[in-house]
Amino acid sequence: MVNIKQSPRNLAVTVLERVINKQAYSNLELNQIIQQAKLSVADKHLLTNLVYGTLQHRLTLENWLKPFVKREPVPWVRELLLITLYQYHYLKRVPDFAATNEAIEITKFRGHGNQGLRKFVTGVLHAVLRSDWPDLTTIEDPIEQLSLTASLPLWLTKKLVDENGLLEAQKIGKAINDPARLSIRANRQKGTVGQITDQLAMEGITTIPSQVAADGLIVTKGDLLGSQAFRSGLVTVQDESAMLAVEAMAAAIDLKTANLVLDACSAPGGKTGQLAAQVENGKVIALDIHQHKVKLIKKNMARLGLSDRVVAKQNDARDLTFLADQTLDAALVDAPCSGMGLLRRKPEIRYQKQFSDSQQLHKIQTTILDAVAPKIKKGGIIIYSTCTILHEENDETVVAFLTTHPNFALEKTQTARALKTDRATKTLTILPSDYGSDGFFIATLRRKN
């Protein structure tokens, strides 16, 4: 007999209710639930699929549900209905009757036998099954159609179309709803990519080389987090696009001979470790505003075998008075941003952010760059990066910085795999639709001699 309390569908309701109420991030809440519940591998996969799938397609599912719900249900009932609709349309291997029956059982369990709730859920689901999936192609307005098919708020859909054109925006809309890949970075401190690939294979972890980042690998099979290779710091989990910021710095300056490099916004330390593995004779100063995140950086550096090269410090990157002017060979400013390049991994962001958030973040980003600029030596480098694809936080932040800092010049960002070298811009924007990785932006700023 199915334990309803511990069933993937019931647990998915719990996760989604907390995420939608902004009480938790989807990835963190999901990981916590998986650690607490004793689930089979298949049930873990189903739970993950239900959570991310329902979040990714939320606006589409709400559009389908709307005609069948005359009054707003309580939050957990709404999430249960959306999860069930997601299974009807997107999970072809799950029979409709199985999804329906368990939804009714969950209603009995959560509603403590409330007959009114049970009848409501049963009636809605049976009515939905008698209807057809809405034909969204009949929507004449291309912006509205894309908004519903990709499940993107209208304001964000308009921004993506304005900045990228309708065709590219449609590609982005499709890409962000594809499953995210598990990508890892080989730790140069502990071996070559080839050596580490072989070690992973010995533990039953199959990988393929990243087409995006030179040290990147895509895990296709195996328990990475339970492996000795992970525990001993041979690899770290990091998106392929995120690895490019350090690649860009290495292309612009000789990191082997650098004395002092700053990672201004470093937690949890993925890029810090990537930097430290290449700064052979110097130090990396890693900053974060929160003490618990500084502890996380230190823990990650210890696992990677790089503690002796990293000084982790609790500090606001907008105030760098502890550093003397012109003491840094380079600085990485992976700035706070709206995260709109991470929609594949954190799908709820699209529903929680507004355009005003980007405008406010733009101000914070320029303030950080203003603080970093005088600390850079002549001829030194600032790598400015974000995990968003919105112009306000990317190119417009760079333009604002250069306007007030004429002693810096924008150089063309280079990567190890020479990505998008035929682009017209000096800055590099990786869209989620380009390589199946996260959306990312990088600018290379050199202080003039």
Side-chain angles (χ1 to χ4, degrees):
M1 185 175 178
V2 176
N3 180 350
I4 291 298
K5 184 177 180 180
Q6 292 293 96
S7 74
R9 293 173 177 87
N10 185 55
L11 294 174
V13 172
T14 300
V15 174
L16 288 172
E17 192 176 4
R18 285 181 56 79
V19 170
I20 294 303
N21 290 336
K22 299 182 181 180
Q23 295 174 309
Y25 294 110
S26 59
N27 58 331
L28 299 180
E29 182 68 13
L30 184 60
N31 289 341
Q32 184 175 334
I33 290 288
I34 287 174
Q35 288 173 7
Q36 292 172 349
K38 295 179 180 179
L39 300 176
S40 65
V41 173
D43 280 351
K44 287 178 185 177
H45 288 162
L46 177 57
L47 171 58
T48 302
N49 193 329
L50 292 174
V51 169
Y52 281 114
T54 305
L55 283 171
Q56 287 172 331
H57 299 284
R58 188 174 188 85
L59 296 185
T60 316
L61 295 168
E62 286 179 340
N63 178 68
W64 191 19
L65 179 64
K66 189 175 181 180
F68 305 100
V69 180
K70 293 184 174 61
R71 56 185 171 83
E72 181 67 22
V74 295
W76 70 260
V77 171
R78 184 173 190 81
E79 299 313 315
L80 177 61
L81 291 171
L82 293 175
I83 286 169
T84 310
L85 265 61
Y86 170 71
Q87 293 171 87
Y88 289 163
H89 187 69
Y90 294 100
L91 293 190
K92 301 303 183 185
R93 289 183 296 178
V94 177
D96 291 347
F97 75 86
T100 305
N101 289 345
E102 188 155 339
I104 294 169
E105 291 303 314
I106 290 170
T107 305
K108 292 178 185 177
F109 171 75
R110 284 180 170 259
H112 305 290
N114 185 313
Q115 291 299 311
L117 274 180
R118 182 187 63 77
K119 289 179 180 179
F120 171 74
V121 170
T122 303
V124 168
L125 294 180
H126 285 169
V128 167
L129 285 173
R130 290 193 296 268
S131 71
D132 294 323
W133 175 259
D135 185 3
L136 301 179
T137 62
T138 61
I139 300 173
E140 293 184 3
D141 183 348
I143 303 292
E144 185 182 353
Q145 184 184 126
L146 177 57
S147 173
L148 281 176
T149 55
S151 193
L152 288 166
L154 273 172
W155 77 266
L156 181 55
T157 308
K158 290 175 182 175
K159 284 288 295 176
L160 292 176
V161 172
D162 288 345
E163 295 179 1
N164 303 280
L166 179 60
L167 182 61
E168 192 61 56
Q170 290 170 336
K171 292 179 182 177
I172 294 170
K174 181 180 183 303
I176 60 171
N177 292 326
D178 289 336
R181 301 186 299 223
L182 174 56
S183 61
I184 56 177
R185 177 177 54 79
N187 180 10
R188 289 192 188 186
Q189 177 71 3
K190 297 201 173 185
T192 66
V193 175
Q195 291 168 340
I196 291 171
T197 300
D198 291 342
Q199 178 62 39
L200 289 166
M202 289 174 62
E203 294 193 62
I205 299 164
T206 307
T207 61
I208 57 174
S210 167
Q211 294 181 322
V212 178
D215 294 340
L217 297 167
I218 308 300
V219 177
T220 57
K221 184 181 178 181
D223 178 16
L224 175 78
L225 298 183
S227 69
Q228 180 60 30
F230 178 79
R231 288 193 297 271
S232 61
L234 294 182
V235 296
T236 194
V237 176
Q238 191 175 358
D239 186 75
E240 300 162 89
S241 295
M243 301 177 203
L244 299 178
V246 175
E247 284 193 7
M249 184 180 288
I253 190 171
D254 184 3
L255 286 173
K256 287 184 179 181
T257 61
N259 292 315
L260 197 60
V261 176
L262 175 70
D263 188 351
C265 313
S266 63
K271 299 178 191 68
T272 306
Q274 191 178 0
L275 275 172
Q278 298 182 60
V279 178
E280 297 180 358
N281 301 307
K283 294 285 185 183
V284 177
I285 301 175
L287 305 183
D288 195 87
I289 198 170
H290 302 291
Q291 183 58 39
H292 71 280
K293 290 188 177 181
V294 173
K295 290 180 180 178
L296 180 60
I297 296 167
K298 291 179 179 179
K299 181 180 178 181
N300 283 332
M301 293 311 104
R303 183 177 64 83
L304 296 172
L306 294 164
S307 296
D308 61 330
R309 299 185 189 180
V310 176
V311 178
K313 179 179 175 66
Q314 183 183 8
N315 196 90
D316 191 326
R318 291 170 290 188
D319 179 8
L320 300 179
T321 50
F322 74 92
L323 280 173
D325 287 354
Q326 297 192 47
T327 53
L328 297 174
D329 296 286
L332 171 59
V333 179
D334 188 44
C337 70
S338 60
M340 289 301 174
L342 306 178
L343 296 183
R344 190 185 282 112
R345 298 181 190 280
K346 298 180 179 179
E348 70 272 18
I349 292 174
R350 68 186 88 181
Y351 314 119
Q352 298 173 349
K353 302 287 186 180
Q354 301 294 329
F355 178 54
S356 57
D357 293 314
S358 285
Q359 294 173 309
Q360 183 60 36
L361 285 161
H362 165 81
K363 297 176 184 177
I364 295 171
Q365 291 157 356
T366 54
T367 303
I368 294 173
L369 287 171
D370 288 344
V372 171
K375 311 303 177 183
I376 302 294
K377 295 176 182 177
K378 291 180 180 179
I381 286 287
I382 297 176
I383 296 294
Y384 172 74
S385 64
T386 72
C387 54
T388 189
I389 54 175
L390 300 183
H391 286 187
E392 279 75 17
E393 303 171 61
N394 293 343
D395 285 296
E396 291 190 19
T397 296
V398 171
V399 169
F401 172 76
L402 291 172
T403 301
T404 55
H405 297 80
N407 58 331
F408 278 81
L410 181 65
E411 295 185 350
K412 187 168 184 177
T413 294
Q414 309 286 350
T415 64
R417 298 208 187 281
L419 301 179
K420 302 176 82 167
T421 52
D422 59 346
R423 67 187 188 274
T425 60
K426 290 183 178 180
T427 59
L428 174 63
T429 300
I430 303 295
L431 299 173
S433 50
D434 286 336
Y435 306 104
S437 58
D438 289 345
F440 213 77
F441 172 86
I442 308 171
T444 304
L445 302 157
R446 189 180 297 276
R447 183 164 184 170
K448 298 175 183 177
N449 286 316

